[in-house]
Amino acid sequence: MNNMNREGAAASVPSESEVTERVETLLGRMSLAEKVGQLTQVGGADFIPGPRPEEIIRSGGAGSVLWLNDTKRFNALQKIAVEESPSRIPLLFALDVIHGYRTIFPVPLAMASSWDPSVVERAQAVAAKEARAAGLHWTFGPMIDIARDARWGRIVEGAGEDPYLGSAMAAAQVRGFQGPYPGAPEHLIACAKHFAGYGAADGGRDYDPVFLPEAQLRNIYFPPFQAAVNAGVGTFMSAYMDLNNVPASGNRWLLSDILRDEWGFQGFVVSDAFAVGNLVIQGFARNGRDAAFRALSSGLNMDMASSTYLQNLAGLVEDGMLEEAALDMAVWPILALKVRMGLFEQPYIDETLLEQVVALPEHRQEARLAAQRSMVLLHNEGGLLPLPKTLQNIAVIGPLADSKEATEGSWMVFGHQPAAVTVLQGIRAKLPQARVEYASGPEIRRDFPSPFEDFDTENKKPSQTPEEANAAFQAAVETARRADLVIMVLGENAEMAGEAASRSSLDLPGRQEELLKEVVELDKPVVLVLLNGRPLSIVWAAEHVPAILEAWEPGSEGGNAVADILFGDANPGGKLPVTFPRNASHEPLYYARTLTHMPEDSPMYVSRYWDSPTKPLYPFGFGLSYTTFSITNLRISESQVKAGQAVSVAADVTNTGQVAGDEVVQLYIHQKAGSDSRPMRELKGFERITLQPDEAKTVTFQLGPTELSYWSTKAGGWIQDAADFDIWVGADSNAALHTDLTVIS
Ligand code: BGC
């Protein structure tokens, strides 16, 4: 296969036998220290203590560099590696490119709300193209941890609560980042993280221990990771936390038995940042030497930033604790990747490339489309939305209305300059003739700063005094009073979700709800636009505000996309990838629970809590449109099949409203009895379709052994029971259209 790389030189991908030969030759001439170097990833940022990366690279002590985003410096460091280090092995440059490099796409939770794997794939392809042009080779994404507790801040980085949707999003991201193979030109090597179970931290507290039975891991938390392997992901990252009392970064069962032996993963595993060294802090390893030994022997190839491998691995081999062959095995896939991607032939990046690539107009267009498709219309009483473009006098209110940072969201690449179109700007651009007044109201802030605050310019401003906050509050109310219609833009700042950003409450932070209440009191039409990275408990708003648009953290074109939707140039079609609870104390709350002896729809049942309804505020899969759809005529090819066989399930979907729109048709199953209890509903198929008014389409799903099998606690393995199933097809996880299926043995 021949590829033209951006530099214009024809790069041929070596055959596997050539790769093997070249890796073996390299290994044959490398010293023990250099092998350890290939297993070491060093930080390029100034905040990292210890010797400068230049020094480490020159001695052959690093195979990869992270936390650096500087094209010229990439080339300078690469020059040291390929001209001065002993075996002249090029470096891999890695960074977190999570939802865009220069063109920022909606955060991953938002992208999952599109229920559109093709848009997700294209977004990550754009991110990869820009980042690769900057000189990066490898991204630490996709993050594919299932998250069922919105208190956990990292819920923003993933695809939400469901393994089926999560698997589709994981595979789409891998395809988008990597293109045809790991290391392909104009793409990035992907990294499936954080393996595994990280989203189930006790209490939603980031980094806290995780206890998950094998059935939960296999049925819920593993599927997106296996989907990433099947999509050809090049690398994995181990998680930080203890999984059932064994840290994921020293967990042989995870990193070797499951990942390699069962799933056949051929790439390499990098630790999370400092995680190898942390095995000591976590009370697992006795010291750095023990940590290095246990991480390497569990199957962890590369030590991210802790230098524990660098300091200890050679000694362990010299003392006979580790075979050198174990190191060779760990180094092998790293060298193979470098050979395959042509780094030895073309180690440098053209320093003029980035500016050409980021200027491509299609990147902004993709970002705007992705943002439109990811937004979820939660509420629209009396058809208040879409708004007429004839409006003359609008107030745009709220601390996030003109915040570039909140619009782009969490996880920007190092050194990124916020450049999003804000909601205020988007509305002003949409209605150039109208009077659009703006007031921010009181600012919002974390009560405790983020450990990453140093990277965060916004938080460096001094806080408002109570007097300033009061004045801002009053100014906002007065601005609203002067308008005919008010658009409130509320939610969370970028640093309120993400790593080390767990919350004990899911309320609108600060005085936002108080401000919303005062504005609603003015008795004008009010639209609430939410910018946030997790479900929020917005019970009051749901009861009192006629229109609510969940815009998430929508990226560079976010403000334009919000305006497109508010004024009817785009019709919202996104659906929630997570349950919205009424209250943070209900978490974890997700739709795919097992039934109980008193199911929630039994006559005696009111709520699990005597002081609050348990039912979610908005269910998984929910989202409205400016049009209406009917889903009818559910049919199944056979109502009885043998285990191992497949049936097809079809339904007709009609646009019964006045405008074109998208529906996400969803299929859920429930196994009524069997070896284990099974969830009351499980998503097993979805398709997002576009329909013109009065247009109808038939949507067909396949249900076969893959969808009907599960990992059984009783059987201790994967099984397909002979059992009766409920099947529902509809527009969210409460779908009512039902049929039956019987599987016989
Ligand atoms: C995060 C990872 C990230 C790594 C490198 C860690 O703190 O948990 O998700 O990839 O840092 O930036």
Side-chain angles (χ1 to χ4, degrees):
M1 193 177 8
N2 272 316
N3 297 287
M4 293 294 285
N5 68 17
R6 286 294 303 185
E7 288 81 4
S12 63
V13 183
S15 68
E16 278 314 290
S17 60
E18 195 185 324
V19 172
T20 306
E21 204 187 302
R22 286 176 61 183
V23 170
E24 273 165 11
T25 310
L26 279 166
L27 279 171
R29 68 166 197 248
M30 285 163 73
S31 66
L32 183 56
E34 283 175 278
K35 291 176 185 172
V36 175
Q38 289 304 304
L39 302 178
T40 298
Q41 186 174 53
V42 293
D46 294 337
F47 63 82
I48 307 290
R52 301 307 307 140
E54 284 80 356
E55 238 176 273
I56 304 173
I57 294 163
R58 192 167 286 119
S59 66
S64 176
V65 174
L66 85 159
W67 296 327
L68 185 66
N69 184 21
D70 178 341
T71 306
K72 285 199 158 57
R73 190 125 180 265
F74 288 146
N75 278 342
L77 294 181
Q78 194 69 294
K79 193 165 191 303
I80 298 174
V82 300
E83 291 185 11
E84 298 177 41
S85 80
S87 288
R88 302 182 169 352
I89 299 171
L91 297 160
L92 280 177
F93 295 111
L95 197 65
D96 297 270
V97 179
I98 303 300
H99 55 113
Y101 178 80
R102 188 78 67 78
T103 308
I104 306 303
F105 285 82
V107 287
L109 189 64
M111 292 300 287
S113 306
S114 72
W115 293 60
D116 180 353
S118 66
V119 87
V120 170
E121 183 175 336
R122 292 202 305 274
Q124 296 303 35
V126 168
K129 190 168 177 169
E130 293 186 356
R132 186 70 184 266
L136 287 160
H137 305 121
W138 178 18
T139 178
F140 300 127
M143 187 285 215
I144 51 181
D145 296 310
I146 295 293
R148 298 182 147 190
D149 188 334
R151 293 172 299 179
W152 190 55
R154 303 198 79 168
I155 194 170
V156 63
E157 296 173 54
E161 73 183 50
D162 187 74
Y164 188 89
L165 180 63
S167 298
M169 293 301 158
Q173 292 194 71
V174 170
R175 290 194 302 268
F177 279 137
Q178 290 194 161
Y181 61 93
E186 302 189 3
H187 288 83
L188 293 173
I189 302 152
C191 180
K193 73 184 187 185
H194 310 81
F195 196 52
Y198 187 24
D202 274 357
R205 294 178 297 270
D206 203 8
Y207 311 141
D208 261 14
V210 168
F211 294 93
L212 283 171
E214 189 166 354
Q216 282 294 92
L217 284 166
R218 299 246 188 202
N219 291 320
I220 311 297
Y221 290 84
F222 284 173
F225 288 98
Q226 197 171 2
V229 172
N230 294 342
V233 72
T235 69
F236 258 59
M237 185 187 292
S238 65
Y240 275 132
M241 77 306 141
D242 281 2
L243 175 67
N244 303 328
N245 293 335
V246 181
S249 299
N251 197 315
R252 177 171 240 291
W253 180 71
L254 278 178
L255 304 183
S256 293
D257 300 356
I258 300 283
L259 182 59
R260 266 98 176 199
D261 300 348
E262 266 191 45
W263 298 350
F265 173 66
Q266 304 273 327
F268 67 89
V269 180
V270 63
S271 73
D272 202 339
F274 307 107
V276 178
N278 290 351
L279 293 177
V280 180
I281 305 175
Q282 275 169 257
F284 180 71
R286 277 181 295 279
N287 47 37
R289 183 179 154 92
D290 190 28
F293 176 76
R294 291 169 87 167
L296 190 95
S297 359
S298 72
L300 193 143
N301 306 65
M302 188 181 278
D303 171 0
M304 184 193 288
S306 86
S307 297
T308 310
Y309 276 8
L310 195 59
Q311 286 159 15
N312 295 287
L313 280 184
L316 283 162
V317 173
E318 280 153 9
D319 297 350
M321 287 287 293
L322 276 177
E323 301 270 340
E324 190 160 347
L327 256 60
D328 290 353
M329 248 176 72
V331 175
W332 213 99
I334 299 169
L335 293 178
L337 187 62
K338 293 179 178 182
V339 169
R340 237 179 254 125
M341 67 192 290
L343 264 192
F344 287 86
E345 293 73 32
Q346 185 52 269
Y348 301 113
I349 183 71
D350 169 354
E351 291 173 9
T352 66
L353 195 57
L354 177 63
E355 292 315 315
Q356 301 160 37
V357 169
V358 294
L360 293 173
E362 60 262 33
H363 290 195
R364 292 297 278 216
Q365 283 156 17
E366 281 291 354
R368 188 161 176 170
L369 181 79
Q372 290 170 353
R373 288 179 83 75
S374 66
M375 291 180 192
V376 185
L377 182 63
L378 295 176
H379 200 59
N380 194 16
E381 232 171 81
L384 176 60
L385 294 178
L387 301 169
K389 286 185 192 147
T390 48
L391 277 167
Q392 282 305 316
N393 187 12
I394 301 177
V396 179
I397 309 279
L400 308 178
D402 198 29
S403 164
K404 291 185 185 304
E405 290 82 358
T407 309
E408 287 183 338
S410 61
W411 259 132
M412 291 302 109
V413 295
F414 274 42
H416 176 76
Q417 297 304 316
V421 176
T422 65
V423 174
L424 175 66
Q425 290 170 334
I427 291 170
R428 284 192 168 145
K430 185 67 77 185
L431 299 188
Q433 312 300 339
R435 200 171 96 128
V436 180
E437 271 205 90
Y438 159 68
S440 75
E443 67 174 11
I444 54 172
R445 254 171 209 271
R446 289 171 57 127
D447 297 344
F448 301 116
S450 161
F452 309 114
E453 203 160 284
D454 273 349
F455 311 136
D456 186 310
T457 44
E458 199 178 34
N459 242 3
K460 284 185 185 142
K461 286 186 233 142
S463 322
Q464 272 175 340
T465 62
E467 294 71 32
E468 285 166 344
N470 283 338
F473 191 100
Q474 281 320 318
V477 176
E478 291 317 313
T479 305
R481 200 190 301 280
R482 290 192 293 271
D484 299 334
L485 177 132
V486 187
I487 298 170
M488 302 287 293
V489 188
L490 309 178
E492 291 186 337
N493 271 338
E495 72 272 12
M496 289 177 173
E499 189 176 348
S502 295
R503 291 187 68 190
S504 64
S505 152
L506 294 176
D507 297 346
L508 286 165
R511 296 177 64 186
Q512 294 182 97
E513 188 161 304
E514 187 191 340
L515 180 60
L516 180 65
K517 285 179 176 167
E518 288 254 341
V519 170
V520 167
E521 278 285 291
L522 300 175
D523 223 13
K524 297 175 190 272
V526 176
V527 175
L528 171 59
V529 175
L530 291 170
L531 297 189
N532 50 296
R534 56 152 63 81
L536 294 174
S537 51
I538 46 159
V539 175
W540 189 90
E543 284 165 3
H544 297 90
V545 181
I548 305 177
L549 178 69
E550 175 53 85
W552 304 113
E553 295 172 343
S556 300
E557 286 290 319
N560 284 332
V562 166
D564 292 339
I565 287 192
L566 294 184
F567 293 93
D569 289 335
N571 188 351
K575 302 273 186 167
L576 295 177
V578 275
T579 300
F580 265 50
R582 293 175 165 269
N583 192 302
S585 66
H586 300 185
E587 295 284 33
L589 185 67
Y590 49 93
Y591 81 95
R593 305 187 301 285
T594 49
L595 289 164
T596 68
H597 73 284
M598 193 187 283
E600 294 183 24
D601 54 3
S602 61
M604 284 165 63
Y605 181 85
V606 181
S607 170
R608 292 276 184 266
Y609 302 115
W610 61 255
D611 60 349
S612 155
T614 340
K615 284 226 169 357
L617 185 60
Y618 299 110
F620 175 82
F622 174 80
L624 302 170
S625 165
Y626 295 154
T627 188
T628 48
F629 298 94
S630 77
I631 305 179
T632 55
N633 195 18
L634 177 60
R635 52 217 189 259
I636 187 160
S637 57
E638 282 156 282
S639 58
Q640 184 169 310
V641 284
K642 282 199 155 160
Q645 291 178 342
V647 292
S648 63
V649 177
D652 300 333
V653 189
T654 311
N655 181 345
T656 51
Q658 305 303 314
V659 290
D662 285 11
E663 181 58 291
V664 179
V665 189
Q666 303 162 40
L667 175 136
Y668 294 87
I669 66 163
H670 168 233
Q671 178 175 315
K672 292 185 184 177
S675 304
D676 294 11
S677 300
R678 301 296 301 141
M680 57 175 117
R681 288 195 178 204
E682 290 177 275
L683 180 73
K684 291 293 177 181
F686 66 87
E687 192 178 340
R688 181 169 176 156
I689 56 170
T690 303
L691 291 173
Q692 301 303 315
D694 294 326
E695 195 189 355
K697 272 186 192 162
T698 298
V699 175
T700 307
F701 302 102
Q702 296 300 316
L703 277 182
T706 311
E707 290 76 26
L708 301 174
S709 302
Y710 64 98
W711 201 91
S712 155
T713 300
K714 179 149 179 284
W718 289 98
I719 58 166
Q720 184 181 2
D721 283 323
D724 291 335
F725 288 85
D726 293 306
I727 317 264
W728 296 271
V729 171
D732 61 43
S733 56
N734 288 336
L737 193 62
H738 175 266
T739 189
D740 295 294
L741 169 67
T742 300
V743 174
I744 55 171
S745 49

